[in-house]
Amino acid sequence: MVLSLLVASGCAAQRPTNTPEAFRQAVTALVGPATFSAKTCGSLFDGDPNSALLAKGTSTVPASSVAGIRTRALAAGWQPQKHGGFTLALLGPDHYQIGVRVTGDSAVVRAELDRCSVRTRSSMLGNAPLPIPEPGQRQSLERAFALATPVVRELLRAAGVAARDDLFPESGSMSDADAVPPENCRTPNEGRLGVTWRAVAKAELPVSTDVAGFFARLTPIPGPDWTVAPETPRDDPQVNVVTREGVRIRVHTTRQTSGEGGASLELRVSAESACVPVTTTPAAP
């Protein structure tokens, strides 16, 4: 509460500012002419409060043009999103967002670039909550999940831990993994928008566990199609990184000490897919 009051009291005065040209061009390329505005929204605690801004673009278009907006957005690398209240929501480069509401024969388009360092009620789109994978993306995510799940389940079994079915179901299907939603991501090289998934299983091992021997038993489990690269971090006993095209599994133990002198050994088995960029390519049959 105190921190919130401090941040609020440090809000810099909002004032009109220039709309970034790159944002203006990206939006008009998808929706055509729009009305733009921008204002500062920084904090006095920022190094440069004037660098924080909220830019908006609005336009009213025929409802029949929404499909074309979506097609152009996909071709330009924008990722469709789930967003309540919008018929179509898109996340674009540099965190640009577009929301479209269709009413009858017309549609209102709202575009935002939110670079505010403090929360503002003027933002309608906020943080994009959840991507909607295109069919080709969904197929890649499912394939990676199907590869990773049996390996993770076997690693956990060897550690004496039962896999959670909402994380790594026995079926190996991502559609059965209720706790593993798709997430937004950017590809490492091109920085293109895309989707990924991540799941982490945790367990506590006996403090007396021979860590080196434990990892020696786990190393052969993934099989010859996987690459196992042991690591020895500075503060942790050991990490094994298991990779295959499109998939990364990390087996990690951390020795922890409580304030009362007690000790524990935590096991984490995490898995994630590579970032699958948005594409208009349909899923393979």
Side-chain angles (χ1 to χ4, degrees), residues 135-250:
Q137 290 178 301
R138 171 64 69 177
Q139 189 176 66
S140 293
L141 295 180
E142 286 277 8
R143 184 184 303 114
F145 194 83
L147 288 173
T149 296
V151 174
V152 171
R153 289 180 65 91
E154 187 61 21
L155 289 169
L156 292 171
R157 188 201 63 76
V161 180
R164 282 175 46 186
D165 283 337
D166 60 344
L167 285 175
F168 301 104
E170 189 173 3
S171 67
S173 173
M174 189 177 173
S175 60
D176 293 332
D178 296 335
V180 189
E183 300 178 18
N184 289 304
C185 62
R186 293 181 186 272
T187 58
N189 298 325
E190 303 91 348
R192 295 174 60 197
L193 285 166
V195 289
T196 185
W197 56 261
R198 298 179 179 86
V200 182
K202 302 177 185 179
E204 188 170 309
L205 299 177
V207 177
S208 58
T209 299
D210 172 10
V211 174
F214 174 75
F215 275 93
R217 292 194 303 275
L218 296 188
T219 297
I221 287 176
D225 294 329
W226 296 79
T227 299
V228 180
E231 297 179 1
T232 307
R234 181 181 62 187
D235 300 326
D236 299 317
Q238 190 168 340
V239 174
N240 270 14
V241 179
V242 185
T243 55
R244 187 170 175 174
E245 184 178 0
V247 190
R248 182 176 184 267
I249 300 171
R250 194 169 187 261

Side-chain angles (χ1 to χ4, degrees), residues 12-20 36-42 49-56 110 113-117 120-123:
Q14 295 184 353
R15 60 176 182 79
T17 189
N18 294 327
T19 301
F36 292 92
S37 64
K39 63 182 179 181
T40 59
C41 54
N50 294 327
S51 66
L53 61 86
L54 175 65
K56 306 174 189 176
R110 166 84 172 211
L113 167 58
D114 188 348
R115 289 181 180 162
C116 296
S117 57
T120 171
R121 294 183 179 179
S122 299
S123 172

